[in-house]
Amino acid sequence: MLALMLGFSHWFGPTLGSPDGVSTPMVAVGVEPGVRFLEARVRYTLSVTKRAVPGPEEHRVGFASLELVGKHRLSVGSQHMEVLLGPFATLAHAGGVGGGGGLVVGARWTFSRGTAATPALGIYFEGRQVLYRLPGDMGDARRDAQMDLGVVGVL
């Protein structure tokens, strides 16, 4: 199974504010690592416009994540609902690189031809609690939420 997700990541938090989701596109690719109930993924989201971050300059901010989620699927005919939950590690960049991690929870609703779950096309929604450090951070980790919404294709 291969899943490709394209959408917008809406960010909410004291550090980066809440930029318009159109200015923070997101792409993710997931594969099943040999078992149906797990999915390993890579994800990237970037602020297209520069954001004010602590310090004298504005930067394009991005998050590159490696995720491992457990998933459960319920199918009725050609409709399939999957729920996902798992941890992730992230690299945050803004004029340098910092790190972090968090937890992701989400759902995908896909439609296929016939009763097989693949190939399928649909929509997804995911929420993330992100704990991270920006370059130069010395104190406590920053805490933001990210909400992804978009389309998903499953092969």
Side-chain angles (χ1 to χ4, degrees):
M1 190 276 322
L2 172 73
L4 175 62
M5 293 158 277
L6 299 170
F8 301 104
S9 183
H10 302 271
W11 302 352
F12 305 95
T15 302
L16 302 172
S18 53
D20 183 346
V22 173
S23 68
T24 51
M26 189 281 317
V27 62
V29 177
V31 296
E32 287 180 354
V35 289
R36 272 186 55 149
F37 63 88
L38 285 178
E39 185 172 303
R41 310 192 295 187
V42 293
R43 173 185 174 267
Y44 185 69
T45 181
L46 173 71
S47 63
V48 175
T49 58
K50 291 185 177 183
R51 305 292 307 161
V53 294
E57 298 178 22
E58 291 186 341
H59 295 280
R60 285 191 177 84
V61 179
F63 293 88
S65 303
L66 181 59
E67 307 174 351
L68 183 63
V69 296
K71 60 183 184 170
H72 183 72
R73 179 174 39 233
L74 174 65
S75 296
V76 176
S78 63
Q79 297 184 50
H80 315 280
M81 176 64 79
E82 284 184 303
V83 292
L84 310 107
L85 174 70
F88 67 90
T90 192
L91 293 176
H93 67 80
V97 178
L103 186 66
V104 57
V105 61
R108 294 193 293 230
W109 185 22
T110 58
F111 300 86
S112 63
R113 297 182 80 175
T115 58
T118 58
L121 187 62
I123 59 173
Y124 75 93
F125 172 80
E126 294 179 346
R128 286 175 176 70
Q129 176 67 51
V130 186
L131 301 170
Y132 64 99
R133 294 183 188 277
L134 290 174
D137 279 353
M138 301 302 278
D140 294 336
R142 298 172 185 281
R143 182 180 305 217
D144 287 346
Q146 295 180 355
M147 305 293 180
D148 294 355
L149 180 63
V151 295
V152 60
V154 182
L155 297 175

